[in-house]
Amino acid sequence: MPLKIAIFISGRGSNLNAIIQAVADKRLDAKIQVVVSNDPEAQGLTIARQHGLKTFALSHKGMKRAEHEQAVLKHLEEYEIDFVVLAGYMRVLSSEFLRRFKDSRGFYKVINIHPSLLPAFPGTNGYEEAFNYGVKVSGVTVHLVDEQVDHGMIIAQEPFPRFNDDTLETFKARGLSVEHALYPAVLQQIAKEGIRFNERKKVETAK
Ligand code: GAR
């Protein structure tokens, strides 16, 4: 059974495009039920429509967070959804929203990709902040979403180097190509095996 997903975007949609391509190439056993955006002008919506996907765009401007989320949730009721996939969705989701996707084990079936090795450089400018800090290695994180921003159980991380002659543009481009490979691969792992917790036990350290 394909993993039924709703993909949330706010802009360019290059991760959305990578997921669409992975489904088309049969590298990812998923069905994109709907693409949601909080920006009706988002470039990614055009990509979605070009591929015949259903879209739902509703600007958050002038709306309270709860009102906007309720409208999105109402729309999502039309679809069966196993996982919400955040792909450059630049809105924080409230716990009321997240609870709607609660798994029986207590986690939320909402996943995000972030352009840094979390917990370093959370927020909206992961690449810029890592680059300006002078990191020698950066990376990409895919994690489950919880109530905190860019926080939640890490599912996968993929590092990439920063070279001495990098500009912010070359650094970002390297990171984005890592994102485009990693996100579909992680989604395929979830499609096959679900979310696995048992290998992630914390170790108590002596004080
Ligand atoms: C990606 O780099 C993604 O990791 C980042 O936004 C970009 C969206 O690009 N997400 C975050 O910073 C989340 N905190 P895209 O629209 O081309 O996929």
Side-chain angles (χ1 to χ4, degrees):
M1 280 281 277
L3 188 73
K4 298 188 196 76
I5 58 178
I7 303 183
F8 283 33
I9 61 165
S10 293
R12 180 179 52 191
S14 69
N15 278 289
L16 164 70
N17 193 49
I19 296 168
I20 292 172
Q21 293 310 324
V23 172
D25 298 348
K26 302 202 185 315
R27 281 179 284 123
L28 170 56
D29 186 19
K31 178 158 190 329
I32 303 167
Q33 299 284 59
V34 60
V35 175
V36 172
S37 181
N38 63 310
D39 180 357
E41 305 300 320
Q43 245 178 283
L45 287 170
T46 310
I47 299 175
R49 291 184 190 118
Q50 279 166 350
H51 288 87
L53 296 173
K54 298 208 170 101
T55 60
F56 177 69
L58 178 66
S59 173
H60 61 280
K61 289 187 186 141
M63 285 179 100
K64 294 206 171 99
R65 182 180 307 279
E67 258 181 334
H68 185 259
E69 288 184 347
Q70 284 311 315
V72 171
L73 282 174
K74 181 101 197 87
H75 186 81
L76 291 184
E77 277 171 15
E78 290 180 27
Y79 308 95
E80 220 181 299
I81 290 163
D82 299 322
F83 250 89
V84 170
V85 175
L86 308 183
Y89 189 66
M90 297 310 198
R91 300 274 301 162
V92 173
L93 294 168
S94 72
S95 48
E96 287 72 30
F97 183 96
L98 293 173
R99 273 205 292 272
R100 158 76 177 70
F101 296 98
K102 198 165 182 161
D103 177 82
S104 54
R105 289 170 292 174
F107 71 87
Y108 304 122
K109 292 181 288 178
V110 180
I111 194 169
N112 184 40
I113 189 159
H114 183 77
S116 74
L117 292 175
L118 287 174
F121 311 113
T124 51
N125 291 307
Y127 286 132
E128 285 84 341
E129 287 184 18
F131 185 84
N132 290 336
Y133 195 89
V135 298
K136 300 289 184 199
V137 173
S138 195
V140 170
T141 303
V142 177
H143 65 98
L144 290 180
V145 173
D146 66 12
E147 285 85 357
Q148 297 174 55
V149 175
D150 296 325
H151 188 268
M153 192 183 83
I154 291 174
I155 309 280
Q157 286 186 311
E158 185 77 36
F160 65 87
R162 181 247 188 80
F163 297 129
N164 287 340
D165 59 355
D166 265 342
T167 60
L168 177 58
E169 283 60 44
T170 57
F171 178 76
K172 260 190 191 173
R174 189 171 308 117
L176 264 179
S177 66
V178 171
E179 291 190 45
H180 298 160
L182 184 65
Y183 216 3
V186 169
L187 291 171
Q188 173 60 7
Q189 190 189 322
I190 294 174
K192 270 192 356 221
E193 307 175 352
I195 297 284
R196 291 166 56 183
F197 283 99
N198 47 2
E199 346 148 332
R200 288 169 220 281
K201 285 200 188 107
K202 279 190 187 165
V203 175
E204 293 299 327
T205 47
K207 296 243 164 59

mmCIF file of all heavy atoms in Angstrom, residues 84-130:
data_model
loop_
_atom_site.group_PDB
_atom_site.id
_atom_site.type_symbol
_atom_site.label_atom_id
_atom_site.label_comp_id
_atom_site.label_asym_id
_atom_site.label_seq_id
_atom_site.Cartn_x
_atom_site.Cartn_y
_atom_site.Cartn_z
ATOM 1 N N VAL A 84 1.889 13.810 7.165
ATOM 2 C CA VAL A 84 2.034 15.170 6.648
ATOM 3 C C VAL A 84 3.531 15.407 6.452
ATOM 4 O O VAL A 84 4.324 15.176 7.371
ATOM 5 C CB VAL A 84 1.446 16.209 7.632
ATOM 6 C CG1 VAL A 84 1.812 17.630 7.206
ATOM 7 C CG2 VAL A 84 -0.072 16.056 7.712
ATOM 8 N N VAL A 85 3.898 15.821 5.255
ATOM 9 C CA VAL A 85 5.299 15.993 4.899
ATOM 10 C C VAL A 85 5.568 17.488 4.699
ATOM 11 O O VAL A 85 5.062 18.093 3.743
ATOM 12 C CB VAL A 85 5.605 15.201 3.597
ATOM 13 C CG1 VAL A 85 7.029 15.463 3.118
ATOM 14 C CG2 VAL A 85 5.368 13.702 3.817
ATOM 15 N N LEU A 86 6.325 18.081 5.615
ATOM 16 C CA LEU A 86 6.648 19.502 5.491
ATOM 17 C C LEU A 86 7.873 19.649 4.598
ATOM 18 O O LEU A 86 8.917 19.048 4.870
ATOM 19 C CB LEU A 86 6.908 20.124 6.862
ATOM 20 C CG LEU A 86 5.828 19.912 7.936
ATOM 21 C CD1 LEU A 86 6.209 20.656 9.223
ATOM 22 C CD2 LEU A 86 4.455 20.362 7.451
ATOM 23 N N ALA A 87 7.731 20.433 3.536
ATOM 24 C CA ALA A 87 8.830 20.604 2.585
ATOM 25 C C ALA A 87 8.993 22.106 2.343
ATOM 26 O O ALA A 87 8.457 22.652 1.385
ATOM 27 C CB ALA A 87 8.537 19.851 1.295
ATOM 28 N N GLY A 88 9.686 22.745 3.286
ATOM 29 C CA GLY A 88 9.826 24.199 3.186
ATOM 30 C C GLY A 88 8.538 24.904 3.587
ATOM 31 O O GLY A 88 8.213 25.955 3.041
ATOM 32 N N TYR A 89 7.810 24.324 4.546
ATOM 33 C CA TYR A 89 6.599 24.986 5.056
ATOM 34 C C TYR A 89 7.032 25.867 6.217
ATOM 35 O O TYR A 89 7.480 25.349 7.247
ATOM 36 C CB TYR A 89 5.569 23.957 5.518
ATOM 37 C CG TYR A 89 4.213 24.541 5.851
ATOM 38 C CD1 TYR A 89 3.426 25.118 4.860
ATOM 39 C CD2 TYR A 89 3.709 24.503 7.151
ATOM 40 C CE1 TYR A 89 2.178 25.652 5.155
ATOM 41 C CE2 TYR A 89 2.450 25.022 7.453
ATOM 42 C CZ TYR A 89 1.693 25.596 6.444
ATOM 43 O OH TYR A 89 0.460 26.121 6.728
ATOM 44 N N MET A 90 6.945 27.174 6.023
ATOM 45 C CA MET A 90 7.556 28.106 6.975
ATOM 46 C C MET A 90 6.556 28.617 8.009
ATOM 47 O O MET A 90 6.539 29.804 8.330
ATOM 48 C CB MET A 90 8.218 29.260 6.205
ATOM 49 C CG MET A 90 9.347 28.812 5.313
ATOM 50 S SD MET A 90 10.539 27.744 6.173
ATOM 51 C CE MET A 90 11.949 27.854 5.099
ATOM 52 N N ARG A 91 5.719 27.704 8.484
ATOM 53 C CA ARG A 91 4.772 28.050 9.551
ATOM 54 C C ARG A 91 4.948 27.038 10.670
ATOM 55 O O ARG A 91 5.135 25.854 10.414
ATOM 56 C CB ARG A 91 3.321 27.931 9.053
ATOM 57 C CG ARG A 91 2.983 28.811 7.893
ATOM 58 C CD ARG A 91 2.556 30.170 8.299
ATOM 59 N NE ARG A 91 1.383 30.190 9.167
ATOM 60 C CZ ARG A 91 1.058 31.242 9.915
ATOM 61 N NH1 ARG A 91 1.794 32.312 9.926
ATOM 62 N NH2 ARG A 91 -0.023 31.197 10.673
ATOM 63 N N VAL A 92 4.853 27.544 11.897
ATOM 64 C CA VAL A 92 4.905 26.635 13.044
ATOM 65 C C VAL A 92 3.514 26.040 13.219
ATOM 66 O O VAL A 92 2.510 26.754 13.132
ATOM 67 C CB VAL A 92 5.319 27.418 14.318
ATOM 68 C CG1 VAL A 92 5.214 26.546 15.550
ATOM 69 C CG2 VAL A 92 6.743 27.948 14.145
ATOM 70 N N LEU A 93 3.451 24.729 13.435
ATOM 71 C CA LEU A 93 2.139 24.079 13.612
ATOM 72 C C LEU A 93 1.840 23.954 15.105
ATOM 73 O O LEU A 93 2.697 23.540 15.893
ATOM 74 C CB LEU A 93 2.154 22.699 12.948
ATOM 75 C CG LEU A 93 2.302 22.734 11.425
ATOM 76 C CD1 LEU A 93 2.606 21.348 10.876
ATOM 77 C CD2 LEU A 93 1.056 23.315 10.759
ATOM 78 N N SER A 94 0.627 24.307 15.473
ATOM 79 C CA SER A 94 0.257 24.281 16.896
ATOM 80 C C SER A 94 0.039 22.842 17.362
ATOM 81 O O SER A 94 -0.152 21.923 16.548
ATOM 82 C CB SER A 94 -1.030 25.074 17.104
ATOM 83 O OG SER A 94 -2.104 24.335 16.565
ATOM 84 N N SER A 95 -0.007 22.667 18.694
ATOM 85 C CA SER A 95 -0.232 21.309 19.198
ATOM 86 C C SER A 95 -1.645 20.834 18.844
ATOM 87 O O SER A 95 -1.861 19.641 18.658
ATOM 88 C CB SER A 95 0.033 21.219 20.691
ATOM 89 O OG SER A 95 -0.599 22.255 21.350
ATOM 90 N N GLU A 96 -2.600 21.756 18.703
ATOM 91 C CA GLU A 96 -3.969 21.344 18.294
ATOM 92 C C GLU A 96 -3.910 20.709 16.901
ATOM 93 O O GLU A 96 -4.542 19.690 16.639
ATOM 94 C CB GLU A 96 -4.930 22.553 18.247
ATOM 95 C CG GLU A 96 -5.347 23.085 19.596
ATOM 96 C CD GLU A 96 -4.212 23.827 20.308
ATOM 97 O OE1 GLU A 96 -3.355 24.411 19.611
ATOM 98 O OE2 GLU A 96 -4.181 23.780 21.548
ATOM 99 N N PHE A 97 -3.152 21.332 16.017
ATOM 100 C CA PHE A 97 -3.020 20.782 14.669
ATOM 101 C C PHE A 97 -2.317 19.425 14.726
ATOM 102 O O PHE A 97 -2.786 18.441 14.154
ATOM 103 C CB PHE A 97 -2.224 21.753 13.785
ATOM 104 C CG PHE A 97 -2.112 21.300 12.356
ATOM 105 C CD1 PHE A 97 -2.985 21.775 11.392
ATOM 106 C CD2 PHE A 97 -1.144 20.373 11.964
ATOM 107 C CE1 PHE A 97 -2.899 21.339 10.071
ATOM 108 C CE2 PHE A 97 -1.052 19.932 10.658
ATOM 109 C CZ PHE A 97 -1.934 20.425 9.710
ATOM 110 N N LEU A 98 -1.195 19.395 15.447
ATOM 111 C CA LEU A 98 -0.388 18.166 15.480
ATOM 112 C C LEU A 98 -1.177 16.993 16.054
ATOM 113 O O LEU A 98 -1.068 15.861 15.564
ATOM 114 C CB LEU A 98 0.891 18.399 16.291
ATOM 115 C CG LEU A 98 1.888 19.385 15.674
ATOM 116 C CD1 LEU A 98 3.028 19.669 16.646
ATOM 117 C CD2 LEU A 98 2.441 18.846 14.356
ATOM 118 N N ARG A 99 -1.993 17.289 17.081
ATOM 119 C CA ARG A 99 -2.750 16.202 17.739
ATOM 120 C C ARG A 99 -3.647 15.438 16.766
ATOM 121 O O ARG A 99 -3.915 14.261 16.943
ATOM 122 C CB ARG A 99 -3.594 16.764 18.886
ATOM 123 C CG ARG A 99 -2.806 16.837 20.190
ATOM 124 C CD ARG A 99 -3.745 16.785 21.383
ATOM 125 N NE ARG A 99 -4.554 17.983 21.467
ATOM 126 C CZ ARG A 99 -4.175 19.094 22.116
ATOM 127 N NH1 ARG A 99 -3.017 19.158 22.726
ATOM 128 N NH2 ARG A 99 -4.963 20.142 22.156
ATOM 129 N N ARG A 100 -4.070 16.137 15.738
ATOM 130 C CA ARG A 100 -4.924 15.499 14.723
ATOM 131 C C ARG A 100 -4.193 14.334 14.027
ATOM 132 O O ARG A 100 -4.807 13.435 13.471
ATOM 133 C CB ARG A 100 -5.374 16.596 13.747
ATOM 134 C CG ARG A 100 -5.812 16.186 12.395
ATOM 135 C CD ARG A 100 -7.209 15.585 12.388
ATOM 136 N NE ARG A 100 -7.583 15.276 11.032
ATOM 137 C CZ ARG A 100 -7.060 14.306 10.306
ATOM 138 N NH1 ARG A 100 -6.117 13.536 10.797
ATOM 139 N NH2 ARG A 100 -7.474 14.097 9.066
ATOM 140 N N PHE A 101 -2.862 14.356 14.105
ATOM 141 C CA PHE A 101 -2.072 13.320 13.423
ATOM 142 C C PHE A 101 -1.319 12.439 14.409
ATOM 143 O O PHE A 101 -0.278 11.871 14.082
ATOM 144 C CB PHE A 101 -1.101 13.981 12.426
ATOM 145 C CG PHE A 101 -1.827 14.691 11.335
ATOM 146 C CD1 PHE A 101 -2.036 16.060 11.410
ATOM 147 C CD2 PHE A 101 -2.368 13.996 10.272
ATOM 148 C CE1 PHE A 101 -2.759 16.721 10.428
ATOM 149 C CE2 PHE A 101 -3.098 14.640 9.290
ATOM 150 C CZ PHE A 101 -3.292 16.003 9.366
ATOM 151 N N LYS A 102 -1.881 12.327 15.615
ATOM 152 C CA LYS A 102 -1.181 11.566 16.656
ATOM 153 C C LYS A 102 -1.239 10.060 16.380
ATOM 154 O O LYS A 102 -2.299 9.507 16.106
ATOM 155 C CB LYS A 102 -1.812 11.874 18.015
ATOM 156 C CG LYS A 102 -0.924 11.505 19.168
ATOM 157 C CD LYS A 102 -1.440 12.162 20.439
ATOM 158 C CE LYS A 102 -0.526 11.843 21.585
ATOM 159 N NZ LYS A 102 -0.673 12.752 22.688
ATOM 160 N N ASP A 103 -0.088 9.426 16.474
ATOM 161 C CA ASP A 103 0.016 7.985 16.320
ATOM 162 C C ASP A 103 -0.305 7.324 17.663
ATOM 163 O O ASP A 103 -0.163 7.961 18.705
ATOM 164 C CB ASP A 103 1.458 7.675 15.894
ATOM 165 C CG ASP A 103 1.721 6.194 15.770
ATOM 166 O OD1 ASP A 103 1.387 5.602 14.734
ATOM 167 O OD2 ASP A 103 2.252 5.632 16.740
ATOM 168 N N SER A 104 -0.666 6.033 17.622
ATOM 169 C CA SER A 104 -1.008 5.361 18.881
ATOM 170 C C SER A 104 0.190 5.325 19.836
ATOM 171 O O SER A 104 0.038 5.194 21.040
ATOM 172 C CB SER A 104 -1.503 3.945 18.597
ATOM 173 O OG SER A 104 -0.554 3.278 17.828
ATOM 174 N N ARG A 105 1.426 5.454 19.318
ATOM 175 C CA ARG A 105 2.608 5.455 20.195
ATOM 176 C C ARG A 105 2.922 6.847 20.732
ATOM 177 O O ARG A 105 3.897 7.039 21.444
ATOM 178 C CB ARG A 105 3.824 4.912 19.436
ATOM 179 C CG ARG A 105 3.714 3.420 19.192
ATOM 180 C CD ARG A 105 4.788 2.937 18.250
ATOM 181 N NE ARG A 105 4.583 3.468 16.910
ATOM 182 C CZ ARG A 105 5.447 3.295 15.912
ATOM 183 N NH1 ARG A 105 6.563 2.638 16.119
ATOM 184 N NH2 ARG A 105 5.199 3.790 14.715
ATOM 185 N N GLY A 106 2.120 7.835 20.343
ATOM 186 C CA GLY A 106 2.265 9.168 20.942
ATOM 187 C C GLY A 106 3.000 10.188 20.101
ATOM 188 O O GLY A 106 3.025 11.353 20.440
ATOM 189 N N PHE A 107 3.610 9.766 18.991
ATOM 190 C CA PHE A 107 4.277 10.783 18.167
ATOM 191 C C PHE A 107 3.309 11.301 17.106
ATOM 192 O O PHE A 107 2.251 10.727 16.881
ATOM 193 C CB PHE A 107 5.569 10.223 17.544
ATOM 194 C CG PHE A 107 5.349 9.211 16.455
ATOM 195 C CD1 PHE A 107 5.170 9.599 15.134
ATOM 196 C CD2 PHE A 107 5.339 7.846 16.736
ATOM 197 C CE1 PHE A 107 4.967 8.673 14.122
ATOM 198 C CE2 PHE A 107 5.141 6.913 15.727
ATOM 199 C CZ PHE A 107 4.955 7.326 14.432
ATOM 200 N N TYR A 108 3.678 12.416 16.506
ATOM 201 C CA TYR A 108 2.831 12.994 15.461
ATOM 202 C C TYR A 108 3.327 12.531 14.094
ATOM 203 O O TYR A 108 4.533 12.551 13.839
ATOM 204 C CB TYR A 108 2.853 14.522 15.548
ATOM 205 C CG TYR A 108 2.442 15.049 16.896
ATOM 206 C CD1 TYR A 108 3.294 15.859 17.632
ATOM 207 C CD2 TYR A 108 1.207 14.709 17.445
ATOM 208 C CE1 TYR A 108 2.923 16.336 18.883
ATOM 209 C CE2 TYR A 108 0.829 15.180 18.688
ATOM 210 C CZ TYR A 108 1.695 15.983 19.404
ATOM 211 O OH TYR A 108 1.334 16.444 20.643
ATOM 212 N N LYS A 109 2.391 12.176 13.248
ATOM 213 C CA LYS A 109 2.771 11.704 11.919
ATOM 214 C C LYS A 109 2.972 12.913 10.989
ATOM 215 O O LYS A 109 2.259 13.116 10.013
ATOM 216 C CB LYS A 109 1.717 10.733 11.391
ATOM 217 C CG LYS A 109 1.713 9.427 12.197
ATOM 218 C CD LYS A 109 0.721 8.438 11.694
ATOM 219 C CE LYS A 109 -0.679 8.886 12.030
ATOM 220 N NZ LYS A 109 -1.709 8.006 11.537
ATOM 221 N N VAL A 110 3.914 13.722 11.400
ATOM 222 C CA VAL A 110 4.271 14.940 10.671
ATOM 223 C C VAL A 110 5.789 14.966 10.631
ATOM 224 O O VAL A 110 6.449 14.788 11.655
ATOM 225 C CB VAL A 110 3.739 16.205 11.397
ATOM 226 C CG1 VAL A 110 4.113 17.461 10.627
ATOM 227 C CG2 VAL A 110 2.221 16.123 11.596
ATOM 228 N N ILE A 111 6.346 15.152 9.440
ATOM 229 C CA ILE A 111 7.792 15.042 9.267
ATOM 230 C C ILE A 111 8.306 16.303 8.571
ATOM 231 O O ILE A 111 7.577 16.927 7.787
ATOM 232 C CB ILE A 111 8.101 13.741 8.476
ATOM 233 C CG1 ILE A 111 9.553 13.362 8.547
ATOM 234 C CG2 ILE A 111 7.632 13.814 7.049
ATOM 235 C CD1 ILE A 111 9.821 11.951 8.006
ATOM 236 N N ASN A 112 9.539 16.664 8.881
ATOM 237 C CA ASN A 112 10.090 17.903 8.329
ATOM 238 C C ASN A 112 11.514 17.667 7.851
ATOM 239 O O ASN A 112 12.217 16.797 8.364
ATOM 240 C CB ASN A 112 10.102 18.978 9.432
ATOM 241 C CG ASN A 112 10.562 20.326 8.922
ATOM 242 O OD1 ASN A 112 10.203 20.741 7.813
ATOM 243 N ND2 ASN A 112 11.375 21.031 9.705
ATOM 244 N N ILE A 113 11.921 18.473 6.869
ATOM 245 C CA ILE A 113 13.338 18.482 6.479
ATOM 246 C C ILE A 113 13.901 19.847 6.830
ATOM 247 O O ILE A 113 13.250 20.870 6.604
ATOM 248 C CB ILE A 113 13.535 18.132 4.983
ATOM 249 C CG1 ILE A 113 15.028 17.943 4.689
ATOM 250 C CG2 ILE A 113 12.895 19.170 4.048
ATOM 251 C CD1 ILE A 113 15.306 17.126 3.440
ATOM 252 N N HIS A 114 15.101 19.828 7.417
ATOM 253 C CA HIS A 114 15.708 21.091 7.846
ATOM 254 C C HIS A 114 17.140 21.182 7.318
ATOM 255 O O HIS A 114 17.899 20.211 7.386
ATOM 256 C CB HIS A 114 15.696 21.190 9.379
ATOM 257 C CG HIS A 114 16.239 22.495 9.841
ATOM 258 N ND1 HIS A 114 15.504 23.658 9.793
ATOM 259 C CD2 HIS A 114 17.469 22.838 10.299
ATOM 260 C CE1 HIS A 114 16.246 24.657 10.227
ATOM 261 N NE2 HIS A 114 17.436 24.194 10.531
ATOM 262 N N PRO A 115 17.532 22.379 6.842
ATOM 263 C CA PRO A 115 18.837 22.503 6.184
ATOM 264 C C PRO A 115 20.006 22.754 7.130
ATOM 265 O O PRO A 115 20.791 23.683 6.918
ATOM 266 C CB PRO A 115 18.623 23.687 5.236
ATOM 267 C CG PRO A 115 17.633 24.546 5.950
ATOM 268 C CD PRO A 115 16.740 23.614 6.713
ATOM 269 N N SER A 116 20.136 21.944 8.158
ATOM 270 C CA SER A 116 21.331 21.971 9.016
ATOM 271 C C SER A 116 21.362 20.661 9.788
ATOM 272 O O SER A 116 20.399 19.897 9.768
ATOM 273 C CB SER A 116 21.298 23.143 10.008
ATOM 274 O OG SER A 116 20.377 22.877 11.049
ATOM 275 N N LEU A 117 22.457 20.448 10.494
ATOM 276 C CA LEU A 117 22.536 19.289 11.390
ATOM 277 C C LEU A 117 21.944 19.725 12.724
ATOM 278 O O LEU A 117 22.640 20.276 13.575
ATOM 279 C CB LEU A 117 23.998 18.838 11.552
ATOM 280 C CG LEU A 117 24.655 18.225 10.306
ATOM 281 C CD1 LEU A 117 26.136 17.943 10.556
ATOM 282 C CD2 LEU A 117 23.932 16.951 9.868
ATOM 283 N N LEU A 118 20.653 19.493 12.904
ATOM 284 C CA LEU A 118 19.998 19.890 14.164
ATOM 285 C C LEU A 118 20.656 19.135 15.316
ATOM 286 O O LEU A 118 21.081 17.997 15.129
ATOM 287 C CB LEU A 118 18.495 19.575 14.092
ATOM 288 C CG LEU A 118 17.687 20.495 13.183
ATOM 289 C CD1 LEU A 118 16.241 19.993 13.083
ATOM 290 C CD2 LEU A 118 17.716 21.938 13.642
ATOM 291 N N PRO A 119 20.783 19.713 16.509
ATOM 292 C CA PRO A 119 20.110 20.939 16.918
ATOM 293 C C PRO A 119 20.843 22.234 16.556
ATOM 294 O O PRO A 119 20.449 23.293 17.035
ATOM 295 C CB PRO A 119 20.011 20.778 18.436
ATOM 296 C CG PRO A 119 21.215 19.972 18.790
ATOM 297 C CD PRO A 119 21.440 19.040 17.645
ATOM 298 N N ALA A 120 21.884 22.161 15.717
ATOM 299 C CA ALA A 120 22.544 23.407 15.310
ATOM 300 C C ALA A 120 21.671 24.134 14.282
ATOM 301 O O ALA A 120 21.045 23.493 13.430
ATOM 302 C CB ALA A 120 23.902 23.098 14.706
ATOM 303 N N PHE A 121 21.650 25.413 14.352
ATOM 304 C CA PHE A 121 21.038 26.288 13.361
ATOM 305 C C PHE A 121 19.573 25.976 13.032
ATOM 306 O O PHE A 121 19.227 25.715 11.881
ATOM 307 C CB PHE A 121 21.876 26.302 12.071
ATOM 308 C CG PHE A 121 23.333 26.546 12.331
ATOM 309 C CD1 PHE A 121 24.276 25.550 12.090
ATOM 310 C CD2 PHE A 121 23.766 27.757 12.868
ATOM 311 C CE1 PHE A 121 25.629 25.757 12.359
ATOM 312 C CE2 PHE A 121 25.118 27.970 13.146
ATOM 313 C CZ PHE A 121 26.039 26.968 12.880
ATOM 314 N N PRO A 122 18.706 25.975 14.045
ATOM 315 C CA PRO A 122 17.273 25.867 13.754
ATOM 316 C C PRO A 122 16.779 27.186 13.145
ATOM 317 O O PRO A 122 17.555 28.144 13.077
ATOM 318 C CB PRO A 122 16.653 25.643 15.148
ATOM 319 C CG PRO A 122 17.606 26.307 16.092
ATOM 320 C CD PRO A 122 18.982 26.172 15.476
ATOM 321 N N GLY A 123 15.535 27.212 12.740
ATOM 322 C CA GLY A 123 14.964 28.479 12.245
ATOM 323 C C GLY A 123 14.862 28.520 10.742
ATOM 324 O O GLY A 123 14.964 27.496 10.071
ATOM 325 N N THR A 124 14.701 29.734 10.223
ATOM 326 C CA THR A 124 14.340 29.858 8.805
ATOM 327 C C THR A 124 15.542 30.011 7.868
ATOM 328 O O THR A 124 15.378 30.002 6.658
ATOM 329 C CB THR A 124 13.412 31.074 8.595
ATOM 330 O OG1 THR A 124 14.027 32.201 9.223
ATOM 331 C CG2 THR A 124 12.050 30.838 9.189
ATOM 332 N N ASN A 125 16.767 30.187 8.427
ATOM 333 C CA ASN A 125 17.923 30.428 7.556
ATOM 334 C C ASN A 125 19.075 29.482 7.853
ATOM 335 O O ASN A 125 20.209 29.911 8.047
ATOM 336 C CB ASN A 125 18.410 31.881 7.729
ATOM 337 C CG ASN A 125 17.397 32.847 7.160
ATOM 338 O OD1 ASN A 125 16.982 32.737 6.001
ATOM 339 N ND2 ASN A 125 16.966 33.778 7.978
ATOM 340 N N GLY A 126 18.777 28.202 7.885
ATOM 341 C CA GLY A 126 19.777 27.201 8.266
ATOM 342 C C GLY A 126 21.064 27.300 7.459
ATOM 343 O O GLY A 126 22.161 27.301 8.035
ATOM 344 N N TYR A 127 20.960 27.368 6.135
ATOM 345 C CA TYR A 127 22.178 27.409 5.318
ATOM 346 C C TYR A 127 22.997 28.669 5.596
ATOM 347 O O TYR A 127 24.209 28.603 5.784
ATOM 348 C CB TYR A 127 21.841 27.330 3.819
ATOM 349 C CG TYR A 127 21.404 25.949 3.363
ATOM 350 C CD1 TYR A 127 20.267 25.787 2.584
ATOM 351 C CD2 TYR A 127 22.142 24.820 3.701
ATOM 352 C CE1 TYR A 127 19.862 24.533 2.170
ATOM 353 C CE2 TYR A 127 21.745 23.554 3.290
ATOM 354 C CZ TYR A 127 20.603 23.417 2.516
ATOM 355 O OH TYR A 127 20.219 22.168 2.111
ATOM 356 N N GLU A 128 22.334 29.811 5.596
ATOM 357 C CA GLU A 128 23.041 31.083 5.812
ATOM 358 C C GLU A 128 23.744 31.080 7.166
ATOM 359 O O GLU A 128 24.899 31.469 7.282
ATOM 360 C CB GLU A 128 22.071 32.278 5.789
ATOM 361 C CG GLU A 128 21.588 32.678 4.418
ATOM 362 C CD GLU A 128 20.393 31.862 3.941
ATOM 363 O OE1 GLU A 128 20.138 30.746 4.494
ATOM 364 O OE2 GLU A 128 19.715 32.319 3.020
ATOM 365 N N GLU A 129 23.017 30.628 8.192
ATOM 366 C CA GLU A 129 23.591 30.697 9.533
ATOM 367 C C GLU A 129 24.783 29.759 9.675
ATOM 368 O O GLU A 129 25.804 30.119 10.263
ATOM 369 C CB GLU A 129 22.521 30.410 10.585
ATOM 370 C CG GLU A 129 21.568 31.585 10.695
ATOM 371 C CD GLU A 129 20.546 31.423 11.786
ATOM 372 O OE1 GLU A 129 20.737 30.597 12.691
ATOM 373 O OE2 GLU A 129 19.539 32.138 11.720
ATOM 374 N N ALA A 130 24.665 28.553 9.124
ATOM 375 C CA ALA A 130 25.781 27.607 9.191
ATOM 376 C C ALA A 130 26.968 28.164 8.402
ATOM 377 O O ALA A 130 28.108 28.153 8.876
ATOM 378 C CB ALA A 130 25.356 26.251 8.640
#
